[in-house]
Amino acid sequence: GAVVSQHPSWVICKSGTSVKIECRSLDFQATTMFWYRQFPKQSLMLMATSNEGSKATYEQGVEKDKFLINHASLTLSTLTVTSAHPEDSSFYICSAMNSGSYEQYFGPGTRLTVT
Amino acid sequence: KNEVEQSPQNLTAQEGEFITINCSYSVGISALHWLQQHPGGGIVSLFMLSSGKKKHGRLIATINIQEKHSSLHITASHPRDSAVYICAVDKFYGGSQGNLIFGKGTKLSVKP
């Protein structure tokens, strides 16, 4: 089946620093990728929709200047958490939508801990 | 009220039992997904369906669009099936697909 990778799988950073998370579709093209966040014991929540070659669409309440999304190619989207704070500690998951089939495939997730 | 409701929240079964997890939704959808999340957090997509029934190994997913309800069945359950099962609907959203709304998940524990 289709594979989506995320890197890194986990990261610990200090408050005030920035962290970049990569999401790659390994065997299909994805014009659209999605970034989700999951806090402990809660559902996944959509943060933003990333479209190749255009600006991301952010959900209400998600700061676009804090969570920078870049979708520079059909197989790669990046999420940069800028000036991270402890409350940004969470599990970040991306998914990629196959441009041909519209099926959505999930990455394994990145656990971010901000100290 | 959540747009996607799952039941039960927690489920404990003995190995070999037939398991059913239910999902009800209240919005128009283009598709419904069943996902599996293991303790490490990684998510695996089990099914995407918009009508009828799909089967993959011991897993069966059904959807009734009129009743806005879907079920995930696991036959001959095994301890390795222990995970959180999440229902997510692909809501009609300006004509585009992929904007998922997630249920809170059903935590399944299968005892040997």
Side-chain angles (χ1 to χ4, degrees), chain A residues 59-70:
Chain A
E59 295 301 299
Q60 194 171 14
V62 178
E63 300 174 58
K64 62 181 180 182
D65 294 329
K66 181 170 181 61
F67 297 99
L68 301 179
I69 291 173
N70 184 281

Side-chain angles (χ1 to χ4, degrees), chain B residues 70-93:
Chain B
S70 175
S71 293
L72 175 69
H73 306 286
I74 305 175
T75 61
S77 60
H78 191 276
R80 65 175 174 266
D81 297 326
S82 298
V84 176
Y85 291 84
I86 302 169
C87 169
V89 299
D90 198 334
K91 187 177 174 181
F92 290 125
Y93 184 76

Side-chain angles (χ1 to χ4, degrees), chain A:
Chain A
V3 177
V4 175
S5 70
Q6 276 185 244
H7 178 79
S9 55
W10 60 270
V11 57
I12 301 172
C13 71
K14 292 189 176 180
S15 189
T17 62
S18 295
V19 173
K20 180 186 282 189
I21 303 170
E22 293 185 349
C23 177
R24 292 182 186 273
S25 58
L26 298 185
D27 53 1
F28 64 96
Q29 292 185 335
T31 53
T32 304
M33 292 184 174
F34 302 90
W35 286 96
Y36 301 91
R37 181 167 52 183
Q38 185 182 38
F39 291 108
K41 299 188 187 301
Q42 294 189 23
S43 303
L44 282 81
M45 294 291 291
L46 179 68
M47 298 177 65
T49 302
S50 170
N51 298 295
E52 187 265 338
S54 64
K55 290 184 179 180
T57 304
Y58 291 81
E59 295 301 299
Q60 194 171 14
V62 178
E63 300 174 58
K64 62 181 180 182
D65 294 329
K66 181 170 181 61
F67 297 99
L68 301 179
I69 291 173
N70 184 281
H71 193 156
S73 78
L74 289 173
T75 59
L76 174 64
S77 176
T78 60
L79 169 68
T80 301
V81 183
T82 63
S83 187
H85 288 280
E87 57 264 31
D88 298 324
S89 298
S90 187
F91 192 59
Y92 292 85
I93 302 168
C94 74
S95 70
M97 189 162 70
N98 186 309
S99 303
S101 68
Y102 290 105
E103 292 206 16
Q104 194 170 155
Y105 300 93
F106 287 82
T110 296
R111 188 162 301 282
L112 169 64
T113 302
V114 184
T115 60

Side-chain angles (χ1 to χ4, degrees), chain B residues 47-64:
Chain B
F47 296 104
M48 184 179 86
L49 64 167
S50 54
S51 65
K53 174 180 173 179
K54 285 190 176 181
K55 184 177 189 293
H56 186 257
R58 294 181 294 107
L59 301 178
I60 302 166
T62 63
I63 187 168
N64 185 318

